[in-house]
């Protein structure tokens, strides 16, 4: 199972977290753009085009059970429209995005943060979310041993997580 770009977001949940504005952005990949390298992709785009860096959050979901909100960088054009120039790791041409310049202050070791939220009240989903949050922190810290341990812990609960995934589909 992997996080995917959702076709629609759980807006009631987002509103409960104070997120009231989400934009659906087109992806137009910059020449030489790399997956998972949004900051540098925006920098490449700005070498030949007008605009500025816009920090914010992009969204992905694990079925109907977990929402991941990931720090992301897009282009803010002179007309204030937003454009994603980073190739999707999920083979899509659009993303959901919420501008938030505070994301820039959360960068650690040149990595953008993520927030992981359970969308259902289920013990194994809650455990997975805690592990994924810890995985994110270890990734930001560059703790490869911690990441390996967490990946093993996720593997140990994977069958029960698949059951929860199917239960809430």
């Amino acid at each position: 199972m992997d996080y995917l770009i959702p076709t629609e977001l759980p807006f009631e949940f987002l509103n409960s977290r104070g997120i009231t504005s989400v934009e659906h952005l087109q992806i137009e990949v910059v020449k030489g753009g790399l997956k998972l390298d949004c900051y540098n992709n925006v920098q490449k785009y700005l070498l030949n085009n007008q605009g500025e860096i816009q920090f914010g959050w992009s969204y992905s979901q694990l079925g109907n059970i977990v929402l991941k909100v990931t720090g992301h960088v897009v282009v803010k054009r002179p007309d204030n429209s937003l454009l994603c120039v980073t190739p999707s790791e999920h083979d899509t041409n659009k993303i959901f995005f919420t501008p938030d310049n505070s994301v820039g202050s959360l960068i650690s070791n040149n990595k953008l943060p993520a927030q992981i939220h359970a969308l259902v009240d289920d013990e194994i989903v809650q455990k997975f979310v805690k592990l994924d949050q810890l995985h994110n922190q270890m990734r930001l810290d560059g703790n490869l041993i911690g990441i390996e341990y967490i990946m093993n812990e996720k593997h140990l609960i994977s069958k029960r997580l698949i059951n929860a995934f199917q239960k809430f589909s």
Side-chain angles (χ1 to χ4, degrees):
M1 286 190 301
D2 196 13
Y3 286 95
L4 300 174
I5 303 297
T7 54
E8 61 181 70
L9 289 171
F11 286 106
E12 187 175 314
F13 175 82
L14 293 175
N15 288 336
S16 75
R17 298 285 193 246
I19 300 170
T20 57
S21 174
V22 177
E23 299 190 38
H24 206 199
L25 304 185
Q26 189 70 34
I27 298 173
E28 294 177 17
V29 178
V30 66
K31 184 177 181 175
L34 301 173
K35 293 179 181 182
L36 303 174
D37 198 17
C38 57
Y39 184 84
N40 290 323
N41 292 335
V42 168
Q43 293 287 26
K44 284 179 192 174
Y45 178 91
L46 294 175
L47 289 174
N48 299 311
N49 300 279
Q50 292 185 331
E52 60 187 70
I53 292 171
Q54 175 64 64
F55 287 97
W57 301 100
S58 64
Y59 300 85
S60 56
Q61 276 185 229
L62 186 60
N64 296 320
I65 60 175
V66 180
L67 177 69
K68 183 182 273 189
V69 184
T70 305
H72 192 52
V73 181
V74 300
V75 174
K76 184 175 183 179
R77 296 178 185 162
D79 66 359
N80 288 326
S81 66
L82 300 175
L83 174 66
C84 180
V85 296
T86 299
S88 171
E89 59 184 309
H90 303 289
D91 296 323
T92 185
N93 60 0
K94 288 189 174 185
I95 62 163
F96 288 104
F97 181 80
T98 297
D100 180 356
N101 283 320
S102 73
V103 170
S105 67
L106 302 173
I107 294 172
S108 180
N109 292 317
N110 292 319
K111 294 179 177 77
L112 291 162
Q115 302 171 359
I116 300 94
H117 305 280
L119 296 174
V120 296
D121 185 16
D122 181 88
E123 181 180 345
I124 201 67
V125 172
Q126 298 291 336
K127 183 172 184 171
F128 174 81
V129 165
K130 287 180 182 175
L131 286 169
D132 219 16
Q133 290 168 339
L134 188 56
H135 183 191
N136 177 63
Q137 189 58 54
M138 296 297 106
R139 179 184 62 84
L140 293 173
D141 295 343
N143 184 337
L144 299 179
I145 294 170
I147 290 171
E148 188 175 325
Y149 173 78
I150 293 162
M151 294 300 288
N152 184 60
E153 291 296 306
K154 286 181 180 180
H155 177 73
L156 293 175
I157 66 167
S158 61
K159 287 183 181 178
R160 293 185 291 158
L161 185 65
I162 290 169
N163 290 338
F165 181 90
Q166 293 170 339
K167 174 182 171 183
F168 292 102
S169 291

